[in-house]
Amino acid sequence: MSDLATMPRSVSQVEQYEKCAWRYYLQRVEKVTPRPAAWSHHGTAFHAAAEDYENSARTMEAEEVVQCFSDRYSALVNASLDQEPDTDRWLAAGVSGGEDIERRYALGQEQTARYVEWSQGAGPVIWTVPANKLALELAFSVEIGGVKVRGFIDQLTVEPDDSLRVRDLKTGTTKSKFQLEAYKVAVEKIYDVPVNRGDWYLAKSGGLSRTVKLDKVTEAEVGARFAATDEGVKRGDFPAKPGFSCRFCDVSHACSFRSKTC
């Protein structure tokens, strides 16, 4: 617990703590082994393929990028199958775990090919950080509101007015405005370049979401949420919030508070 109390916070920690601090406790304090989910591997493999493609200066053929997705997805799934071979124990929505594994393999390939097609047409300019590296899966560590925060930003793109736009790639439906807000604050503190807008690339539709205005977002309001989580963890305050989300919780099998509907 002492390590957790002093470690940096992240957007995912804040959002997990706010949704159900008991899940936070089970995963990060008790170290309960989570049930695997194909949707997680789907997202990771898609991000990796998109990053490889962008780092190639968009010279990779679509088939090569799709193969990157396929190889990464297969490796992740196989590693999880070694840990949990019973796919009936995998998390899935509306289908069995085994069906979801197969479905997402094909779906991810389609989405990866569509990303290549979209990027060639839309042509967003990826920002280059001062270290002469494209701002892809950009790691950062910075203090926000008195709390040390770390994370990875999927993409930073250049706007016509030379400000930056923060972009998150999504294979699922859950979108986090707080994530965009936190990344805006981090980028401005580290690089002293304005970030006035953000959005999501939605793999399901093959295009961008609506633009999210970030010009009015302040470090104080973002930092307050990081501080609240930080203080709660240090107090050892982990209230459970059972409900609909229990059915998507990867540690619900170890939870005595879980909703009976999950």
Side-chain angles (χ1 to χ4, degrees):
M1 179 63 186
S2 59
D3 290 341
L4 183 63
T6 58
M7 71 183 295
R9 303 302 167 207
S10 65
V11 169
S12 61
Q13 283 192 55
V14 170
E15 295 189 322
Q16 185 182 60
Y17 185 87
E18 291 176 344
K19 290 176 182 176
C20 181
W22 188 246
R23 178 181 179 182
Y24 183 105
Y25 175 83
L26 290 175
Q27 285 194 338
R28 301 174 190 272
V29 179
E30 291 295 324
K31 306 293 185 182
V32 171
T33 300
R35 293 164 59 192
W39 62 60
S40 175
H41 300 327
H42 174 188
T44 299
F46 177 84
H47 278 72
E51 183 182 5
D52 286 348
Y53 172 65
E54 295 291 357
N55 274 323
S56 78
R58 300 175 183 156
T59 60
M60 292 175 67
E61 297 293 334
E63 293 78 7
E64 296 178 273
V65 188
V66 170
Q67 190 61 52
C68 288
F69 168 84
S70 302
D71 292 344
R72 184 65 181 276
Y73 180 81
S74 297
L76 291 168
V77 167
N78 287 334
S80 288
L81 285 171
D82 287 341
Q83 297 297 316
E84 179 51 81
D86 184 359
T87 57
D88 287 339
R89 288 181 52 80
W90 284 47
L91 288 173
V95 294
S96 69
E99 290 172 328
D100 201 36
I101 291 172
E102 294 181 7
R103 182 177 70 89
R104 289 182 180 277
Y105 181 77
L107 179 60
Q109 290 178 326
E110 294 171 6
Q111 292 176 343
T112 301
R114 195 180 304 138
Y115 176 84
V116 173
E117 180 182 2
W118 168 82
S119 63
Q120 289 174 342
V125 177
I126 305 296
W127 187 56
T128 301
V129 301
N132 200 32
K133 175 183 179 296
L134 289 177
L136 302 166
E137 296 296 327
L138 183 63
F140 70 86
S141 180
V142 67
E143 187 174 288
I144 299 179
V147 178
K148 188 173 182 181
V149 177
R150 65 184 179 190
F152 292 87
I153 302 171
D154 287 351
Q155 295 181 355
L156 288 173
T157 65
V158 182
E159 297 279 77
D161 62 0
D162 291 328
S163 66
L164 301 179
R165 177 182 292 246
V166 62
R167 177 164 295 152
D168 195 52
L169 309 183
K170 303 299 296 184
T171 53
T173 57
T174 302
K175 300 187 293 293
S176 168
K177 185 178 179 182
F178 176 62
Q179 183 178 41
L180 300 183
E181 294 171 342
Y183 292 172
K184 169 242 176 34
V185 172
V187 169
E188 291 186 343
K189 293 198 69 171
I190 296 170
Y191 298 105
D192 195 27
V193 180
V195 179
N196 297 325
R197 301 171 187 84
D199 59 31
W200 298 275
Y201 173 81
L202 306 174
K204 285 191 172 184
S205 61
L208 297 179
S209 71
R210 61 177 177 82
T211 295
V212 177
K213 293 184 179 180
L214 301 173
D215 54 310
K216 304 299 184 183
V217 174
T218 67
E219 179 181 353
E221 61 184 298
V222 172
R225 290 180 66 177
F226 281 111
T229 292
D230 188 62
E231 292 164 4
V233 171
K234 288 176 177 176
R235 288 196 308 269
D237 187 14
F238 301 103
K241 296 181 181 178
F244 178 78
S245 62
C246 290
R247 67 185 62 192
F248 306 110
C249 177
D250 54 4
V251 292
S252 62
H253 55 287
C255 179
S256 58
F257 298 102
R258 67 183 184 277
S259 169
K260 294 181 180 179
T261 60
C262 70

